[in-house]
């Protein structure tokens, strides 16, 4: 319900205008987040395959974006529309990407 309500408050023209910038922001965020997961799991005893699974499992980011995306807009912060649009784009990109990658590689990366 929260994701739907956030989606309804997005100005589609602002989302379209911020598309490339938001995708670059989301992509670089995912890259650094993945690097952080890889570094954080050094010495954990996980195999490289399990560490890769951890990276994939941390890709979806919809909950935080849905909860915080509209806060900047609600408080009248300059650029609030860009922040909200970027959060919606992050939801639309990372949630399906995480699902697809987990379904495709999940069982192959983990062993019982």
């Amino acid at each position: 319900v929260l994701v739907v309500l956030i989606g309804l408050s997005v100005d589609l023209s602002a989302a379209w205008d911020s598309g490339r910038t938001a995708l670059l922001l989301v992509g670089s965020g995912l890259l650094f987040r993945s690097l952080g997961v890889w570094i954080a799991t050094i010495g954990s005893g996980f195999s490289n395959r399990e560490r890769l699974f951890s990276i994939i499992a941390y890709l979806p980011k919809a909950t935080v974006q849905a909860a915080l995306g509209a806060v900047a807009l609600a408080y009248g912060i300059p650029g609030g529309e860009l922040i909200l649009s970027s959060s919606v784009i992050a939801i639309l990109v990372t949630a399906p990407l995480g699902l697809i990658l987990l379904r495709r590689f999940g069982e192959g990366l983990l062993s019982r």
Side-chain angles (χ1 to χ4, degrees), residues 25-111:
L25 179 67
V26 170
S28 61
L30 289 176
L31 177 68
F32 284 108
R33 186 177 185 163
S34 298
L35 181 62
V37 171
W38 189 262
I39 291 170
T41 55
I42 291 174
S44 64
F46 292 146
S47 69
N48 285 340
R49 294 166 65 99
E50 291 167 329
R51 293 170 70 198
L52 182 57
F53 177 83
S54 296
I55 289 172
I56 294 171
Y58 277 106
L59 286 181
K61 302 168 58 165
T63 306
V64 172
Q65 275 64 27
L68 299 178
V71 171
L73 186 64
Y75 282 100
I77 294 174
E81 195 65 45
L82 175 64
I83 294 169
L84 177 62
S85 298
S86 297
S87 69
V88 170
I89 289 171
I91 292 167
L92 293 175
V93 170
T94 62
L97 178 66
L99 175 67
I100 291 166
L101 291 176
L102 282 173
R103 286 191 177 209
R104 172 71 176 95
F105 298 109
E107 289 185 30
L109 291 173
L110 299 178
S111 60

